[in-house]
Amino acid sequence: MPEAYMPYTARLNPHLHAVRQHIKAWAEEMGLIGPSFDTWDEAKFDSFDFGLLMSLVHPDAPQAELELSADWMVWISFIDDDIVQVYGRGRPLSLFDVMVAKQSFERLISFMPVDCATMPIPTNRVERSLANLWSRTAPSKSVAWRRRLVKAIEHNFEGYLWEIYNLSQNRIPDPIDYVEMRRHSVGGGYTILGCYQNAGVDIPPEILYGETIKTLSLMTLDWAALFNDIVSYHIEIEKEGNLSNSVLVIQRFLDCSLQEAVNIVNDLATARLQQFEHIVATQLPIFFEDSELDTKTREEILKYVKALQEWTAGVGEWHIRTGRHHSHRDACPKAQDLIGSPKGLGTSATKIGSSPVPQETPSPNIHPIIQKLLGGPTGLGTSATEIGSSSVPQETTEPNVHPIVQKLLRGPTGLGTSAIEIGSSSVPQEITELTLEPIVQNLLTGPTGLGTSATEISSSAVSEETTEPALEPMAQEVVSSLTKLGTATMHIRSLLGTKG
């Protein structure tokens, strides 16, 4: 594993011991800790040490706020692992499984009424835990804050659903898809709210979610996702059969070795943090002046930036200490079979090996098309975004980053950027959007989800003669004619029913 770049120093919240005790008692009360064959047993839960994670990422948070935030982290992490238990480990999946997952995700949202009205009666431990969390969180928050939290959790579920769909299609996503959706599955919106809340800052929403501050938030999330993918590669890919990992994505997309992919992902993570540092040092003061912000607002923004830095350092430190990314889960005998023949656009026939990662392997020479593929700040709905304002630098030099990566994080990318000019003569300026067959689009618009095996599925959503769409011929055509960029505007938006 290459050395990770970390310019910040982690600090520990003095309430660590109390938080550890609290979250274990809460998890046991909610039924999230079970016998050895369950998603979590006591040994697994203790090895994860979510109390340490939250104490590292929010070192100055009051005890009550820290305990509540830690409970939320336990809950969302349980769902993440339960998805592996239910949908992972090489189990053959179909679009029906995607429907079931979607239905239970939608039902979970009903346990977060923005008006704090009556919620459904919980039928399982995940619903019971969320009902408990919402009843402890919502009353003290504004309606606008509650809406943002609900939207953050919805985006998180969209990321999970996208991963489940990839498994059902045995599809390794392309980098553009991955960068876009990984921010959801990593809990991006929740992370931003957590940093905001636990730092005790007060920033107007139009500034917090404006281009400059949002870019800083996204860079933080991208770093965490990339770093996590390196650390968790062995357990996720080789034992759980997961297909949503940036190391695997880069390895397949560039047809390179495992070590080369690890090096590239590490360089991308480094570049993201160095871009963060550059914006804070050189662009944030310009933003302050151009926006004519008063002294108090500037101080609050700097507090939020410090919270993001603390969060980054804490995440890095926790990944070193936790047992979560080691082999605490049972091996998946079908995992290598699953990733051995991926389906989907942009997936070359790379053979993934399970051998240990060698320590020293030179980075590959990447095709020029790729050098701008994963440009700067990205996100849903960035199709018409023009990067290059005073708040976001166009040319940031990363002195310690491989030259291949220096352009990799520039230029807008993400879902909805199909018409963007990549800047290469070999890439057409207009890329036709690829959509699924209508039956698939309709399939995922109805209620579905996790743990609802006895749920009635509307006959209008699925007919008895429904067949999965035949993407493979089109995939081969696009891959051969468009050098793997045919998925710049993947069908995930229509698949998930989002509008950006």
Side-chain angles (χ1 to χ4, degrees), residues 72 111 119 130-140:
W72 276 99
F111 288 88
M119 62 181 67
L130 180 56
N132 176 276
L133 289 169
W134 190 250
S135 66
R136 294 161 53 201
T137 303
S140 63

Side-chain angles (χ1 to χ4, degrees), residues 384-414:
T385 303
E386 183 176 357
I387 308 302
S389 64
S390 60
S391 61
V392 182
Q394 282 188 328
E395 297 294 335
T396 302
T397 301
E398 298 89 13
N400 297 322
V401 181
H402 194 285
I404 292 171
V405 182
Q406 292 188 10
K407 290 185 178 180
L408 209 55
L409 294 173
R410 302 192 187 115
T413 64

Side-chain angles (χ1 to χ4, degrees), residues 204 207 213 284 287-298 301:
I207 295 178
I213 308 305
L284 202 55
F287 170 72
F288 286 165
E289 294 301 323
D290 289 349
S291 303
E292 299 181 347
L293 299 179
D294 57 44
T295 301
K296 182 180 184 300
T297 302
R298 297 184 187 197
I301 290 175

Side-chain angles (χ1 to χ4, degrees), residues 95-96 98-99 102 165 169 435-446 448 457-471 491 494-496:
L95 289 177
F96 178 81
V98 182
M99 289 180 54
K102 187 173 188 291
Y165 174 77
Q169 300 298 297
T435 57
L436 289 178
E437 295 291 337
I439 185 64
V440 180
Q441 297 180 15
N442 295 333
L443 188 63
L444 298 175
T445 57
T448 57
I457 306 299
S458 172
S459 60
S460 63
V462 186
S463 66
E464 292 182 1
E465 298 181 357
T466 297
T467 58
E468 297 184 17
L471 294 178
H491 48 264
S494 60
L495 177 67
L496 299 178

